[in-house]
């Protein structure tokens, strides 16, 4: 029996291969649900390659990662007893291991999109397998949508079949998307996995310390090798350091992540030598499509670090978050692929039940610029023309189109978007649209080599990690220079990728720049790719303001901090943080703003209140996004512009900016009293509303005409607000105001006493002796409002507060007289105040 036949017998998926073959013979689509470790990635393509319905055509299988694609092809070739590249081959970035004899081709997902763009019928391919579709990568969703659309457009010219395979995704939704495709289900995991939960996980926990403690316990109590899931390379390095004392000839501490060189990947995946155990520290890359021989136990930190697009800043950030339940099951399944195992989770059972059921698909939280560019290249302006499990969200998709338009890749016609010739060239390049624009622009300027190297550098992980942010030392790696600590494998991969980009870019050289080897062109190229991340230094420190409005800073000792301007390629931080950290950047020569980068600069007239300098400013500014590059005073201010800017400032600051003296305050209160009293009589204008809200709404009417000489904040305090408010009173009301709500009231003594309208009802504060003979309470507004009378002592202290003067004279006055006549003997205190002569004088002065 062949090795392939033996494995078919051993693995669970072998039990459904005949059923799957029959379903694909009857239908042109199918869905396979098979749990982790069932063998679907390795066995299904090999089992179907000789099917009659395939008619001798090839099978293309998509894998979400390069490592998984290489491993799957290698495993299948091994089962056939052949080298990779004969019956089974693979194509990933920088590698092509296929030949004329290849019948099964394993590719990464972006490669399928390019294959479809060149040939929508996929001529010569009879089956496309979407493996690990539950991961819901953006490229997988796009590839499936384009494949379905291509089959619909060229139905008569293609016999292409589709098979979607998944470990944790509900196959019913995929089946519906594929036109009610039959679902084939493979039964559960072959080997049991014992689950162990830890104390509840808290955000403040030291993930590395907890992981190390658990690994040490498992090594002491379990046999076989361990697979340890950590969120990223930083944690992998830290845990490796903390476990370094355990490393020995019989125990290997190994790290597994996406950009490892091929030899290192093979060494980790391969079986350990007899008597040797492995501790494999891995990222999410080891969740699926990958069998690491000898794994007996899984230690899961419960975290993953995934890219998330932030629509507020237009940047993609790596976000560390708790994994989903589906992902946790995937990870646990690694322990039961080849024998019974154990999984140790660093969180509680209660928290397990609270996890999200599945990881949200990338399409709902990703930068959609690459997808939008490929859809427009396909000829689709509206993504809803295609079939999706989850369509691209409208707002991020619109933002992606805005970016592409800014890069010159698209233009708007009357009905839809379309690619420009520049956009067509960008879509041909296997990189993010930002980098494609940079590469094409740089090549046309005679900077093709530098642009290709930069594109390679920015398409991969930072080879220098968390060192200084300057890009230039990293570019030295392409010439074999740079820090000696960088592995040769990394340098080789970068050079290979840079050379690949050179071959892909066919843009002609136009007006070449002078001195193309000058390092200043690095900043220019980065500014082409990231115009929204051009940064201007604030003050003399390490803080910068980006063109998109965000704040960012360099490390304290970073040599780039002397630069007035930076072109930033990579930032980090959290969405809720006000300031990002700059990780990759180059100094930017500001002279380029008037030459090569002039198209990014706009000139606008800025007529506004300057909050920083507390004064009105009218200047002609040169701006790049939110950055102010230069300015000069504006010689002529357009009519009304000053007033509008100052009115807007007052509206923002509030009326306390003005001087509300006693006259203005009383005027507002008098008018407010009449406004609230009753509707105006017929044919008489209504009393205006002098509330804060109403006055702020009417600033253009009463305040704006007086602002022609206001320049500083203090100038607002010099305005006569009382006089300005009177402009809101039409002619008849100016006379009626003094009639209905007079400033002063003539009391019996002949004095004109000011009325205080700031209280309700208004107050008349008058010395008691001046009201002798006055029986009725004073009233205003045609008698509708009784004043509150404050009867004062000779020392101007309140003796009585009343709105019923007659009652006071008849009841309360005698007691006041009894108490006050001894204290103020020089003032009259008659027994009958209604018959006494009102006076503001003492007795002696009255007798003169």
């Amino acid at each position: 029996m062949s090795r392939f036949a033996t494995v078919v017998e051993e693995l669970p998926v072998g039990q459904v291969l005949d059923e799957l073959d029959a379903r694909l013979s009857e239908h042109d689509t199918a869905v396979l649900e098979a749990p982790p470790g069932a063998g679907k990635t390795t066995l299904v393509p090999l089992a179907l390659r000789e099917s009659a319905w395939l008619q001798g055509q090839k099978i293309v299988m998509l894998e979400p990662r390069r490592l998984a694609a290489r491993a799957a092809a290698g495993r299948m070739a091994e089962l056939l007893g052949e080298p990779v590249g004969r019956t089974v081959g693979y194509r990933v970035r920088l590698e092509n291991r296929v030949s004329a004899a290849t019948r099964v081709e394993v590719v990464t997902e972006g490669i399928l999109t390019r294959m479809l763009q060149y040939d929508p019928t996929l001529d010569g391919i009879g089956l496309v397998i979407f493996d690990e579709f539950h991961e819901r990568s953006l490229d997988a969703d796009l590839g499936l949508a384009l494949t379905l659309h291509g089959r619909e457009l060229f139905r008569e010219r293609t016999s292409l079949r589709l098979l979607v395979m998944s470990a944790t995704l509900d196959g019913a939704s995929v089946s519906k998307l594929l036109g009610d495709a039959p679902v084939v289900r493979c039964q559960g995991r072959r080997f049991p996995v014992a689950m162990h939960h830890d104390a509840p996980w808290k955000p403040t926990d030291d993930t590395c310390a907890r992981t190390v403690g658990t690994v040490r316990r498992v090594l002491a109590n379990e046999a076989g090798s361990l697979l340890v899931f950590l969120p990223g390379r930083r944690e992998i390095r830290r845990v490796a350091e903390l476990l370094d004392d355990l490393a020995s000839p019989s125990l290997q501490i190994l790290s597994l992540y996406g950009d490892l060189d091929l030899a290192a990947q093979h060494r980790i995946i391969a079986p350990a030598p007899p008597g040797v155990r492995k501790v494999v520290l891995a990222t999410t890359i080891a969740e699926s499509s990958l069998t690491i021989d000898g794994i007996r136990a899984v230690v899961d930190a419960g975290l993953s670090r995934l890219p998330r697009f932030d629509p507020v800043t237009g940047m993609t950030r790596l976000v560390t978050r708790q994994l989903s339940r589906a992902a946790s099951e995937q990870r646990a399944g690694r322990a039961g692929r080849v024998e019974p195992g154990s999984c140790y989770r660093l969180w509680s059972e209660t928290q397990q039940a609270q996890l999200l059921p599945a990881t949200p698909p990338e399409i709902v939280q990703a930068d959609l610029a690459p997808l939008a560019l490929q859809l427009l290249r396909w000829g689709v302006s509206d993504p809803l023309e295609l079939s999706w499990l989850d369509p691209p969200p409208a707002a991020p998709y619109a933002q992606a189109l805005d970016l592409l338009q800014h890069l010159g890749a698209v233009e708007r016609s009357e009905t839809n978007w379309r690619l420009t010739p520049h956009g067509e060239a960008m879509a041909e390049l296997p990189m993010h649209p930002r980098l494609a624009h940079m590469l094409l622009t740089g090549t046309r300027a005679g900077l093709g080599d530098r642009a290709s190297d930069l594109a390679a550098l920015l398409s991969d992980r930072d080879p220098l990690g968390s060192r200084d942010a300057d890009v230039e030392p990293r570019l030295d790696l392409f010439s074999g220079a740079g820090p000696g600590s960088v592995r040769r494998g990394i340098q080789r991969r970068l050079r290979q990728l840079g050379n690949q980009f050179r071959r892909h870019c066919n843009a002609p050289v136009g007006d070449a720049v002078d001195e193309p080897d000058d390092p200043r062109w690095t900043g220019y190229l980065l500014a082409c790719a990231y115009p929204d991340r051009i940064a201007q230094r604030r003050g003399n420190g390490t803080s910068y303001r980006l063109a998109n409005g965000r704040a960012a800073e360099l490390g304290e000792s970073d040599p780039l901090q002397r630069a007035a301007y930076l072109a930033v390629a990579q930032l980090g931080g959290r969405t809720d943080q006000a300031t990002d950290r700059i990780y990759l950047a180059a100094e930017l020569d500001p002279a380029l703003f008037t030459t090569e980068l002039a198209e990014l600069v706009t000139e606008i007239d800025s007529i506004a209140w300057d909050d920083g300098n507390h004064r009105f400013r009218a200047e002609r500014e040169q701006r790049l996004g939110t950055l102010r590059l230069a300015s000069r005073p504006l010689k002529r201010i357009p009519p009304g512009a000053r007033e509008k800017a100052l009115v807007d400032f007052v509206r923002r600051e509030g009326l306390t900016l003005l001087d509300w003296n006693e006259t203005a305050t009383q005027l507002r209160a008098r008018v407010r009293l009449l406004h609230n009293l009753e509707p105006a009589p017929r044919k008489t204008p209504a009393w205006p509303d002098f509330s804060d809200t109403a006055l702020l709404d009417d600033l253009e009417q009463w305040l704006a005409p007086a602002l022609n000489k206001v320049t500083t904040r203090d100038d607002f305090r010099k305005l006569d607000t009382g006089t300005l408010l009177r402009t809101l009173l039409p002619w008849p009301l100016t006379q009626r105001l003094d009639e209905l709500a007079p400033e002063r009231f003539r009391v019996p003594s002949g004095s004109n006493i000011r009325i205080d309208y700031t209280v309700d009802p208004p107050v008349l504060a008058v010395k008691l002796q001046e009201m002798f003979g006055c029986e009725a309470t004073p009233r205003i507004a045609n008698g509708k409002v009784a004043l509150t009378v404050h009867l004062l002592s000779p020392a101007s202290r309140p003796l009585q507060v009343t709105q019923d003067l007659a009652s006071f004279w008849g009841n309360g006055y005698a007691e006041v007289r009894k108490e006050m006549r001894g204290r103020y003997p020089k003032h009259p205190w008659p027994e009958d105040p209604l018959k006494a002569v009102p006076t503001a004088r003492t007795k002696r002065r009255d007798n003169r």
Side-chain angles (χ1 to χ4, degrees):
M1 183 180 291
S2 68
R3 176 63 177 145
F4 170 65
T6 301
V7 174
V8 169
E9 295 265 338
E10 294 174 348
L11 294 177
V13 80
Q15 300 171 12
V16 299
L17 290 177
D18 289 341
E19 180 187 357
L20 183 61
D21 189 9
R23 294 291 178 268
L24 285 171
S25 176
E26 299 163 359
H27 306 270
D28 57 7
T29 58
V31 178
L32 173 61
E33 292 182 4
K40 60 185 179 300
T41 300
T42 303
L43 298 186
V44 169
L46 294 182
L48 298 178
R49 76 187 191 283
E50 300 297 343
S51 298
W53 50 261
L54 197 58
Q55 300 175 356
Q57 299 181 99
K58 286 200 303 186
I59 295 175
V60 169
M61 182 168 70
L62 277 74
E63 290 294 336
R65 300 177 182 86
R66 286 174 286 166
L67 175 57
R70 293 192 194 101
R75 177 67 169 159
M76 283 188 280
E78 179 187 348
L79 291 180
L80 297 179
E82 297 178 355
V84 174
R86 188 178 297 174
T87 302
V88 181
Y90 66 82
R91 278 198 286 168
V92 299
R93 190 177 72 179
L94 300 180
E95 287 185 79
N96 186 338
R97 299 283 297 277
V98 298
S99 67
T102 300
R103 298 290 310 286
V104 176
E105 189 173 324
V106 188
V107 302
T108 44
E109 293 160 337
I111 288 179
L112 175 67
T113 301
R114 292 195 288 276
M115 292 169 64
L116 286 162
Q117 295 284 16
Y118 287 117
D119 178 12
T121 68
L122 293 180
D123 187 38
I125 299 172
L127 173 65
V128 176
I129 301 174
F130 291 82
D131 192 23
E132 306 297 348
F133 193 72
H134 60 271
E135 294 196 12
R136 297 297 309 282
S137 72
L138 182 63
D139 280 331
D141 276 6
L142 174 61
L144 183 57
L146 295 184
T147 304
L148 290 171
H149 195 238
R151 289 199 329 158
E152 183 180 346
L153 292 175
F154 303 100
R155 187 183 304 272
E156 297 178 357
R157 294 169 51 188
T158 181
S159 59
L160 182 67
R161 284 170 165 78
L162 301 181
L163 172 60
V164 174
M165 303 196 304
S166 171
T168 57
L169 184 69
D170 176 15
S173 58
V174 182
S175 171
K176 184 177 179 180
L177 179 69
L178 299 182
D180 294 324
V183 180
V184 178
R185 293 181 173 87
C186 175
Q187 293 305 312
R189 189 165 47 224
R190 177 76 179 271
F191 299 102
V193 175
M195 305 304 302
H196 305 272
H197 288 86
D198 206 337
W201 174 84
K202 299 186 293 295
T204 55
D205 285 349
D206 185 336
T207 298
C208 294
R210 286 191 66 175
T211 302
V212 168
T214 303
V215 168
R216 291 181 182 275
R217 289 196 306 271
V218 175
L219 286 173
N221 297 311
E222 297 268 8
S225 296
L226 274 66
L227 175 59
V228 183
F229 283 101
L230 291 160
R233 290 180 62 183
R234 181 175 67 248
E235 290 81 3
I236 286 176
R237 284 195 298 267
R238 177 62 178 150
V239 170
E241 292 172 358
L242 295 173
L243 293 175
D244 186 61
D245 63 299
L246 297 180
S248 69
S250 61
L251 181 63
Q252 299 175 346
I253 309 294
L254 304 171
S255 300
L256 178 62
Y257 42 85
D259 58 353
L260 274 181
D261 60 68
L262 188 58
Q265 292 173 358
H266 282 317
R267 185 163 58 91
I268 294 170
I269 296 171
V276 177
R277 301 173 72 185
K278 293 189 296 187
V279 176
V280 180
L281 310 176
T283 61
T284 55
I285 195 171
E287 278 182 12
S288 57
S289 296
L290 199 65
T291 298
I292 304 174
D293 282 327
I295 295 299
R296 174 64 179 75
V298 164
V299 175
D300 190 355
L303 302 172
S304 60
R305 184 168 296 133
L306 299 172
R308 294 290 181 269
F309 181 68
D310 182 358
V312 176
T313 64
M315 294 186 294
T316 297
R317 307 175 184 277
L318 286 175
V319 177
T320 302
R321 56 179 295 172
Q322 287 183 285
L323 77 173
S324 65
R325 275 204 306 275
S328 72
E329 292 300 320
Q330 282 281 103
R331 293 182 177 187
R334 301 294 97 185
R337 297 199 75 163
V338 293
E339 61 179 313
S342 301
C343 177
Y344 294 80
R345 290 170 171 166
L346 304 189
W347 64 94
S348 68
E349 283 191 85
T350 300
Q351 289 176 319
Q352 172 70 15
Q354 295 169 347
L355 295 177
L356 289 175
T359 305
E362 188 180 3
I363 199 169
V364 302
Q365 51 195 0
D367 177 3
L368 297 182
L371 179 138
L373 187 65
Q374 291 302 323
L375 287 183
L376 290 170
R377 185 187 182 196
W378 186 259
V380 170
S381 178
D382 182 357
L384 297 183
E385 295 177 38
L386 304 183
S387 299
W388 311 85
L389 274 181
D390 295 279
Y397 191 80
Q399 191 171 8
L401 291 173
D402 287 342
L403 173 62
L404 293 178
Q405 186 179 38
H406 197 72
L407 298 176
V410 301
E411 59 188 6
R412 181 92 179 180
S413 67
E414 291 184 3
T415 57
N416 52 33
W417 293 92
R418 62 187 176 206
L419 290 182
T420 63
H422 182 60
E424 292 279 3
M426 287 171 57
E428 293 277 346
L429 297 174
M431 60 187 69
H432 191 281
R434 288 181 182 270
L435 301 182
H437 170 66
M438 178 191 74
L439 180 55
L440 291 169
T441 303
T443 300
R444 292 173 185 139
L447 300 169
D449 287 344
R450 187 180 294 265
S452 297
D453 291 347
L454 262 178
L457 184 67
L458 298 174
S459 297
D460 216 305
R461 293 181 184 270
D462 182 6
L464 300 189
S466 59
R467 300 189 185 184
D468 296 336
D470 195 355
V471 169
E472 283 299 324
R474 293 160 171 87
L475 288 176
D476 291 340
L477 296 171
F478 290 88
S479 62
S485 59
V486 178
R487 296 195 306 271
R488 290 183 181 179
I490 294 176
Q491 290 181 296
R492 182 171 60 252
R493 185 176 69 246
L494 287 174
R495 287 197 293 268
Q496 286 177 328
L497 191 55
N499 290 334
Q500 185 185 68
F501 290 162
R502 286 179 182 83
R503 292 192 299 271
H504 273 90
C505 186
N506 297 316
V509 177
D511 296 329
V513 300
D514 296 330
E515 304 179 32
D517 293 331
D518 192 315
R520 76 188 186 112
W521 296 117
T522 300
Y524 162 68
L525 291 170
L526 290 183
C528 290
Y530 306 99
D532 49 329
R533 299 182 202 171
I534 292 174
Q536 182 184 55
R537 187 174 61 191
R538 299 190 299 180
N540 297 318
T542 61
S543 181
Y544 286 78
R545 174 69 63 186
L546 303 182
N548 64 14
R550 291 283 293 180
E553 60 184 11
L554 291 163
E556 291 185 3
S557 60
D558 199 302
L560 278 180
Q561 64 183 269
R562 59 181 174 79
Y565 290 90
L566 297 174
V568 180
Q570 191 178 103
L571 299 104
R574 296 199 305 266
T575 305
D576 58 350
Q577 287 180 327
T579 302
D580 292 311
R581 171 71 182 272
I582 299 173
Y583 290 116
L584 276 181
E587 184 172 359
L588 185 61
D589 183 356
L592 294 170
F593 294 142
T594 59
T595 55
E596 279 76 6
L597 296 177
E599 64 179 16
L600 300 179
V601 179
T602 57
E603 195 169 78
I604 62 171
D605 290 343
S606 176
I607 303 170
W609 185 266
D610 187 338
D611 289 319
N613 294 314
H614 306 294
R615 61 183 300 109
F616 172 73
R617 177 170 53 80
E619 296 175 332
R620 179 154 292 171
E621 292 182 347
Q622 288 181 323
R623 299 191 74 89
L624 197 158
T626 64
L627 304 182
R628 188 173 174 222
L629 305 179
S631 65
R632 61 182 184 274
L634 198 60
K635 294 181 180 179
R636 291 190 60 188
I637 302 177
R642 171 193 285 271
E643 290 78 5
K644 181 181 184 309
L646 293 175
V647 161
D648 289 346
F649 173 60
V650 175
R651 196 163 274 142
R652 191 169 68 246
E653 287 286 300
L655 294 176
T656 55
L657 192 66
L658 306 174
D659 177 31
W660 293 100
N661 56 30
E662 179 68 16
T663 300
T665 300
Q666 292 296 330
L667 174 63
R668 286 186 67 184
R670 293 164 66 197
V671 174
R672 185 163 55 241
L673 171 73
L674 298 175
H675 173 79
N676 295 332
L677 191 60
E678 63 181 25
R682 187 180 302 174
K683 297 183 180 180
T684 302
W687 292 100
D689 184 357
F690 274 7
S691 66
D692 282 5
T693 300
L695 289 179
L696 287 170
D697 287 343
D698 289 341
L699 289 175
E700 287 81 2
Q701 184 176 349
W702 65 275
L703 183 63
L707 297 177
N708 59 320
K709 293 184 179 180
V710 171
T711 301
T712 68
R713 196 179 183 98
D714 288 342
D715 290 338
F716 285 105
R717 310 291 297 179
K718 299 175 183 177
L719 298 175
D720 185 348
T721 49
T723 300
L724 294 175
L725 285 182
R726 283 185 175 274
T727 63
L728 292 175
L729 295 174
W731 170 74
L733 297 186
T734 57
Q735 292 183 320
R736 298 199 69 219
L737 177 64
D738 291 332
E739 173 189 337
L740 298 175
E743 283 189 71
R744 296 176 178 273
F745 188 88
R746 188 176 182 84
V747 297
S749 68
S751 299
N752 286 312
I753 306 297
R754 184 183 293 276
I755 300 172
D756 183 2
Y757 286 89
T758 62
V759 291
D760 185 24
V763 168
L764 178 69
V766 57
K767 289 184 179 179
L768 183 147
Q769 285 79 6
E770 295 194 62
M771 297 298 290
F772 287 163
C774 182
E775 183 175 1
T777 304
R779 306 181 79 86
I780 58 171
N782 287 334
K784 296 176 182 177
V785 176
L787 299 179
T788 299
V789 181
H790 288 201
L791 297 171
L792 308 179
S793 71
S796 296
R797 295 188 180 92
L799 297 174
Q800 183 72 27
V801 175
T802 183
Q803 274 192 305
D804 188 349
L805 202 56
S807 175
F808 168 71
W809 295 131
N811 301 306
Y813 173 72
E815 188 67 25
V816 170
R817 176 177 179 268
K818 179 180 179 181
E819 183 178 345
M820 290 293 112
R821 63 187 297 190
R823 188 178 301 177
Y824 299 104
K826 296 181 180 179
H827 296 266
W829 300 96
E831 289 187 13
D832 188 352
L834 295 179
K835 294 181 179 179
V837 176
T839 180
R841 302 168 181 256
T842 61
K843 292 186 207 177
R844 183 180 301 173
R845 295 182 64 192
D846 280 338
N847 292 332
R848 288 179 183 177

